[in-house]
Amino acid sequence: MPQASYADSHRLSIEQPEVFWAEQAQRIVWQQPFSRVLDFSQPPFARWFVDGTTNLCFNAVDRHLLQRPDQPALVYISTETGQETSYSYRQLHAEVNRCAAVLRAQGVGKGERVIIYMPMIAEAIFAMLACARLGAIHSVVFGGFASHSLASRIDDARPKVLFTADAGMRGGKAIHYKPLVDEALKLAQHPPQSVIIVDRGIDQNLQRVPGRDLDYATLREQHLQASVDVEWVESSHPSYILYTSGTTGKPKGVQRDTGGYAVALATSMQYIYGGQAGDCMFTTSDIGWVVGHSYIVYGPLLAGMTSIIYEGTPVRPDAAIWWKIVEQYQVRVMFSSPTAIRVLKKQDPACLMRHDVSSLKSLYLAGEPLDEPTARWISDALRVDVIDNYWQTETGWPILSAQPGIEPLPKKFGSPGKPVYGFNVKLLHEASGEPVADEEKGVLVIKPPLPPGCLSTVWGDDARFVKTYFSNFHQQVYSSFDWARRDADGYYFILGRADDVINVAGHRLGTREIEEALSSHAGVAEVAVVGVADELKGQVVAAFVVAKDAASVADATGRQALEKALMATVDQQLGAIARPAKIHFVALLPKTRSGKLLRRSIQALAEGRDPGDLTTLDDPGALEQVRQALLNPAG
Ligand code: ATP
Ligand code: MG
């Protein structure tokens, strides 16, 4: 089937999903073929590749042993410890077998859950793949979370084993994991029987609870020659649980299937990310997030690529470190986030010039809105194609993106492009539920069935799945809770979250639009806009700005000058109605651990309320900044 054009292939994927996906399914190895491509007899639940049996680990690792046994599969780089280790597919296979044997000896089998609470080290990936090999379900908990978040995820999963390390490192500082684990296990109602610890030798006072806590190196030694059979599982067997960022509320436990996910990722590697076997991919996310699951671990390995797992920050030892890695490993595809690029933007521009990054074909950015100045800045500096892609933990892979592997369409900065094949995207009017016209704002929804790779349900809570995602718009569609508009050429623009709308005297304004306007000013590094309750107008706009040059807002005169200039910028771009009532200058904005703005907490503080659930907050100092700025509003 020739994919003639983007329009044709997208149309085929929507009108004849069975035909489209049956062909894509050939990208992975099935032990037993599927009898049906899709079972949508119980909407909104979709089952893909019914009766087909497969295994994620086999497809990511074993399958490559014949063709590329000595090619690096994984390169582990830590600028925190100075360690740099490469694992060929053959070595990765051996390590995964050892780890699977260790887990199996602890009673982990098909359907059993394993919590992986790990820093960015290779063993974290061995453990994920080992779970997949055994048909066990992993729940990776971001290593930066503290005991409470860990405990709630333990209770949700009821794991057999918790896999962890003595410590992680960030910015040169050790973060001891074990005391956090101990505390979490005290808080949890359903603690695991055993805790397996990778001792990196960072925590000199590592305490072990006899009978419960086990040393990974010792267990691994016992299974050096292990060969663990692959557990073939039915396509919809859960591969993992992963929680959303919790930007808007209580994190939801996304449950992913096996076969649909493998097919979706393998397809995305060709059509979206352009990853060929043998190429090197560098995804700077963390394995605790969906981008890490899909594009540090499973996607590149399914494609037979080399994947880099990086422990460290983008600015240590200096802001050239990522480009040094690109040069050294001839990275071809890179995946990062707008937040990280904005961090680099505040650094010495010379760092971007120091290395030869000509191997790099494209830089993919996702996770939050990519403002045009940031996109242009990095694209010009590196001379690479910058591709914004829009998706959610729930979908597991992009909903909107350029799809250069199908047809390289012209790019528009500020837009993540067009709907990805398989996603039947609509924009609906919030009140009427009717499709909106071009250029009008609507809620982005997906007409089910959701394509392969998307969440099958909320772990342990089918009712929450239906209620959360399918209860708006007469139960007919999956709601993304994001605003978007589409232009006459069919490009989409994300305008922010549906609960981030400000209503000023009856005018509905997206926080994102105002943020875009403010960040187009050269003096602005980052900005957050929230609506604050106002007796007269319903809501007024408050903006929190991180200046590019801290010295420019060090005194009242500087702040007033920049504030005035920013007000004028908003007036000019959006009109006076969108003008912030107040602009506050801060050094840092409150974000989730995954780098997303915590607008709900900023808004709560601005309205004198409790900032709410802060378990996902990255740096408490940032909330303090907001608090201080609100206390001293004078210029
Ligand atoms: P929660 O659902 O728990 O509140 P969250 O939505 O932040 O948390 P994620 O699944 O990590 O959890 O984030 C997905 C959201 O991130 C999207 O719904 C969208 O709001 C935003 N997002 C992701 N990529 C982009 C992008 N390219 N452009 C604009 N927004 C994006
Ligand atoms: Mg969300």
Side-chain angles (χ1 to χ4, degrees):
M1 175 186 60
Q3 255 89 36
S5 66
Y6 162 75
D8 288 347
S9 76
H10 188 261
R11 191 177 315 113
L12 176 69
S13 76
I14 300 307
E15 289 174 359
Q16 294 175 272
E18 270 107 337
V19 174
F20 181 86
W21 288 109
E23 182 176 322
Q24 305 307 329
Q26 305 312 314
R27 297 174 188 277
I28 71 158
V29 176
W30 298 91
Q31 193 247 359
Q32 180 188 299
F34 43 90
S35 60
R36 283 169 71 189
V37 178
L38 169 66
D39 174 1
F40 194 49
S41 58
Q42 287 172 299
F45 299 90
R47 288 178 59 202
W48 288 96
F49 311 116
V50 183
D51 295 330
T53 58
T54 185
N55 182 284
L56 262 180
C57 178
F58 181 88
N59 276 281
V61 185
D62 301 50
R63 184 161 58 120
H64 303 301
L65 289 178
L66 275 181
Q67 276 176 347
R68 52 192 83 259
D70 299 315
Q71 178 201 304
L74 210 60
V75 176
Y76 164 57
I77 303 171
S78 173
T79 48
E80 299 289 344
T81 62
Q83 201 184 328
E84 207 159 312
T85 314
S86 174
Y87 300 87
S88 67
Y89 272 98
R90 197 201 312 274
Q91 290 165 322
L92 177 62
H93 181 257
E95 291 298 347
V96 170
N97 272 278
R98 289 164 190 156
C99 191
V102 166
L103 290 174
R104 192 174 54 183
Q106 293 307 314
V108 174
K110 184 178 171 187
E112 222 76 62
R113 276 83 57 208
V114 174
I115 298 265
I116 299 177
Y117 179 63
M118 289 285 277
M120 287 287 283
I121 58 177
E123 285 81 357
I125 295 183
F126 303 158
M128 291 169 77
L129 291 166
C131 287
R133 188 169 199 87
L134 296 167
I137 302 166
H138 59 68
S139 169
V140 182
V141 178
F142 173 59
F145 281 137
S147 344
H148 257 100
S149 310
L150 179 56
S152 72
R153 285 156 177 73
I154 289 173
D155 282 338
D156 203 33
R158 307 189 178 195
K160 193 109 195 165
V161 169
L162 189 147
F163 197 91
T164 188
D166 62 333
M169 302 261 303
R170 195 176 159 77
K173 279 201 267 320
I175 303 145
H176 293 177
Y177 281 24
K178 192 52 197 345
L180 298 172
V181 167
D182 290 342
E183 178 64 24
L185 295 193
K186 268 190 223 133
L187 293 170
Q189 307 288 313
H190 305 279
Q193 290 159 13
S194 40
V195 175
I196 301 177
I197 305 158
V198 176
D199 185 356
R200 309 174 70 193
I202 296 172
D203 181 358
Q204 302 300 326
N205 295 313
L206 183 63
Q207 307 289 323
R208 291 198 178 84
V209 177
R212 185 196 75 184
D213 295 353
L214 308 163
D215 177 56
Y216 181 65
T218 312
L219 300 177
R220 177 181 170 277
E221 282 297 315
Q222 296 163 6
H223 297 281
L224 277 185
Q225 307 305 325
S227 164
V228 174
D229 286 346
V230 161
E231 177 80 33
W232 300 101
V233 296
E234 203 271 340
S235 179
S236 47
H237 178 72
S239 58
Y240 67 76
I241 310 165
L242 179 64
Y243 298 82
T244 57
S245 300
T247 308
T248 48
K250 186 171 173 279
K252 302 162 276 273
V254 164
Q255 176 179 321
R256 195 89 59 210
D257 75 348
T258 300
Y261 186 53
V263 170
L265 289 186
T267 311
S268 76
M269 291 314 293
Q270 181 178 345
Y271 289 162
I272 301 177
Y273 296 98
Q276 304 291 324
D279 286 349
C280 184
M281 179 154 183
F282 179 19
T283 299
T284 70
S285 179
D286 189 282
I287 48 148
W289 314 129
V290 69
V291 173
H293 280 63
S294 294
Y295 297 109
I296 296 175
V297 186
Y298 293 112
L301 295 179
L302 286 169
M305 298 173 79
T306 301
S307 182
I308 291 181
I309 167 170
Y310 174 72
E311 180 184 47
T313 73
V315 292
R316 235 177 69 103
D318 61 34
I321 179 63
W322 283 358
W323 319 117
K324 178 168 179 262
I325 292 172
V326 168
E327 178 176 54
Q328 188 178 345
Y329 290 95
Q330 294 290 292
V331 173
R332 193 161 164 78
V333 187
M334 189 161 164
F335 193 154
S336 190
S337 67
T339 299
I341 302 304
R342 285 193 284 263
V343 166
L344 294 177
K345 211 168 151 190
K346 285 188 263 181
Q347 307 286 321
D348 180 3
C351 290
L352 281 160
M353 305 297 169
R354 205 184 298 159
H355 297 279
D356 175 5
V357 295
S358 56
S359 62
L360 199 59
K361 204 178 84 206
S362 2
L363 171 65
Y364 291 80
L365 298 173
E368 7 135 37
L370 174 62
D371 57 287
E372 187 168 337
T374 301
R376 278 194 193 282
W377 174 79
I378 191 73
S379 173
D380 290 348
L382 298 175
R383 290 195 208 89
V384 294
D385 207 12
V386 170
I387 300 184
D388 181 8
N389 49 131
Y390 161 83
W391 42 302
Q392 306 182 305
T393 306
E394 289 87 342
T395 64
W397 61 292
I399 304 167
L400 299 174
S401 181
Q403 293 145 74
I406 296 180
E407 187 190 354
L409 300 171
K411 151 132 87 247
K412 294 192 187 192
F413 277 113
S415 165
K418 300 192 178 190
V420 168
Y421 48 85
F423 286 95
N424 192 357
V425 176
K426 308 263 178 239
L427 299 182
L428 301 184
H429 187 275
E430 182 193 25
S432 73
E434 292 298 319
V436 298
D438 286 352
E439 299 296 351
E440 268 177 42
K441 191 155 91 181
V443 179
L444 190 148
V445 304
I446 303 165
K447 198 162 176 284
L450 296 177
C454 294
L455 80 170
S456 4
T457 185
V458 170
W459 171 256
D461 201 345
D462 287 349
R464 190 175 178 204
F465 171 70
V466 177
K467 186 163 167 284
T468 303
Y469 298 106
F470 292 91
S471 60
N472 297 332
F473 305 112
H474 315 293
Q475 289 85 42
Q476 295 303 308
V477 292
Y478 168 92
S479 178
S480 71
F481 301 102
D482 288 317
W483 290 107
R485 70 177 166 84
R486 183 184 50 236
D487 72 8
D489 299 327
Y491 286 71
Y492 285 68
F493 295 79
I494 301 295
L495 304 174
R497 294 169 188 260
D499 52 4
D500 283 342
V501 165
I502 304 179
N503 197 330
V504 181
H507 298 268
R508 298 171 62 73
L509 309 164
T511 51
R512 163 106 175 93
E513 295 159 273
I514 306 173
E515 286 169 2
E516 276 269 280
L518 288 166
S519 60
S520 72
H521 189 282
V524 173
E526 265 195 291
V527 54
V529 163
V530 298
V532 180
D534 182 89
E535 270 183 31
L536 218 57
K537 298 182 169 172
Q539 277 183 310
V540 292
V541 178
F544 294 79
V545 168
V546 180
K548 200 179 262 164
D549 174 13
S552 70
V553 291
D555 59 19
T557 321
R559 287 195 289 273
Q560 278 155 7
L562 186 53
E563 182 173 45
K564 208 166 147 218
L566 291 175
M567 301 266 192
T569 307
V570 174
D571 281 6
Q572 192 202 350
Q573 292 188 19
L574 300 172
I577 185 72
R579 183 197 301 162
K582 184 72 211 151
I583 295 180
H584 303 276
F585 293 99
V586 290
L588 193 71
L589 289 169
K591 295 193 177 165
T592 64
R593 304 307 307 248
S594 52
K596 292 165 188 286
L597 269 180
L598 259 178
R599 285 202 196 77
R600 65 175 159 83
S601 297
I602 304 177
Q603 183 184 37
L605 284 183
E607 293 183 344
R609 289 182 288 118
D610 184 89
D613 177 13
L614 294 179
T615 47
T616 58
L617 177 69
D618 186 27
D619 183 345
L623 264 196
E624 201 40 49
Q625 289 260 339
V626 169
R627 218 177 254 131
Q628 287 306 325
L630 287 162
L631 284 176
N632 307 304

